Amino acid sequence: MFAPTGYSSLFDFSNRLYAKHMSEFRKTEQRQKKIKLRDLGLSVEISAPPKTRNDALMEFSEAAWAFIEYEVDVAVLSPSGAVLPAELWLMSVFDPTSPTGAYVDLLIGTVGSGGYPSEFHGRPDEEFPISDEERKRERLNKMTNLFGPFLFCPILVPEKAADDFIGDPFFENPNSNQDPKDLDLHVDEPEFSTVWEFVQEAFPDGKGLATWSYVEEKVGYSRRHIVRAVKANTDYETWARGGHIR
């Protein structure tokens, strides 16, 4: 996708990063194929259960959303070709393990490509059922009113920051000189119940419009730990759309 000098389109960045995650999972799968059955004196190689495409998608999503929130200022390429700074709420995300945010899908990379939950339309589906066509038309009208001429415009990120991030072999440990196969991936994880207690204390009504950096600061755990603890204890979507507003 076209991008002016100094910028990379979110579409290109996201798809390059996703491809890298998929590549790392394929390498992991190949390393897992060196397992032998010896109980009966057999020497038969079998394949360990490979990590799935969904695993790669979740890991990619967490990395990409963190990059956008902590590392860069996002911009939009207007219909006239001008590069305009984007408001922070444009990149709102309820579930950082998914590429689909409220208004933007990372793998599409345009304004208005996100999920835009039906609850935001002002009428719950279960009480006011509507057809798929009506839902699409309603969503398009809402998006058009919200974004006007910027609807479907490409989203941009700084090119150097994007290249540096994708080129980093360890997204959470960029200074490591270890080969990936030598890393101990079995790190201690906090108990879900412990994280959940802190989540309930800091955000008893749910996340709402609070930014993830603010949520992590208040809870004291990473976004990944918070998401997993919430999913283990309650309905995640309900919690994410809660009323706690920063």
Side-chain angles (χ1 to χ4, degrees):
M1 183 180 289
F2 168 78
T5 302
Y7 289 91
S8 174
S9 70
L10 178 63
F11 172 85
D12 287 338
F13 164 75
S14 295
N15 282 273
R16 287 167 58 201
L17 183 60
Y18 181 46
K20 179 165 185 174
H21 275 269
M22 284 300 298
S23 175
E24 291 302 318
F25 277 111
R26 292 191 184 102
K27 291 178 183 177
T28 300
E29 181 181 354
Q30 290 299 316
R31 291 198 295 270
Q32 289 175 331
K33 290 183 177 179
K34 302 298 182 181
I35 300 177
K36 293 186 177 181
L37 294 176
R38 297 182 178 178
D39 290 345
L40 300 177
L42 301 177
S43 181
V44 181
E45 290 194 352
I46 62 172
S47 296
K51 291 188 176 181
T52 66
R53 180 178 295 271
N54 188 58
D55 292 327
L57 187 64
M58 291 175 64
E59 294 290 338
F60 148 74
S61 299
E62 289 183 320
W65 287 119
F67 168 73
I68 289 169
E69 182 167 353
Y70 297 117
E71 302 291 337
V72 299
D73 294 322
V74 176
V76 173
L77 183 63
S78 72
S80 67
V83 176
L84 303 175
E87 296 286 346
L88 291 177
W89 59 263
L90 177 64
M91 304 306 294
S92 299
V93 57
F94 297 111
D95 183 358
T97 63
S98 167
T100 305
Y103 309 107
V104 174
D105 188 305
L106 295 173
L107 294 171
I108 299 175
T110 58
V111 175
S113 58
Y116 200 57
S118 58
E119 285 80 357
F120 287 0
H121 294 185
R123 62 181 192 185
D125 296 342
E126 63 274 12
E127 296 181 16
F128 301 92
I130 57 177
S131 68
D132 288 343
E133 287 303 317
E134 287 178 306
R135 193 185 317 282
K136 291 177 182 178
R137 186 161 51 248
E138 184 179 273
R139 179 182 181 279
L140 180 59
N141 289 337
K142 290 284 187 179
M143 287 295 193
T144 301
N145 292 335
L146 183 61
F147 295 115
F150 297 101
L151 183 62
F152 305 134
C153 285
I155 295 171
L156 307 173
V157 295
E159 183 177 33
K160 185 178 186 305
D163 289 343
D164 288 347
F165 190 78
I166 292 175
D168 181 356
F170 311 107
F171 298 117
E172 296 183 358
N173 189 13
N175 297 318
S176 175
N177 293 317
Q178 289 181 274
D179 188 276
K181 66 177 180 294
D182 296 328
L183 292 176
D184 180 9
L185 301 180
H186 301 288
V187 296
D188 292 334
E189 293 280 347
E191 291 288 340
F192 286 153
S193 59
T194 301
V195 180
W196 177 238
E197 288 178 5
F198 284 100
V199 170
Q200 286 183 300
E201 181 179 345
F203 297 93
D205 300 318
K207 175 180 177 295
L209 299 181
T211 64
W212 271 107
S213 57
Y214 181 70
V215 173
E216 289 177 323
E217 177 185 344
K218 295 293 289 183
V219 176
Y221 286 94
S222 72
R223 180 182 346 199
R224 177 184 299 180
H225 292 145
I226 294 170
V227 169
R228 292 176 178 174
V230 172
K231 286 184 175 180
N233 287 277
T234 189
D235 179 71
Y236 179 81
E237 292 298 327
T238 300
W239 177 86
R241 289 191 294 270
H244 188 109
I245 301 176
R246 179 181 176 182

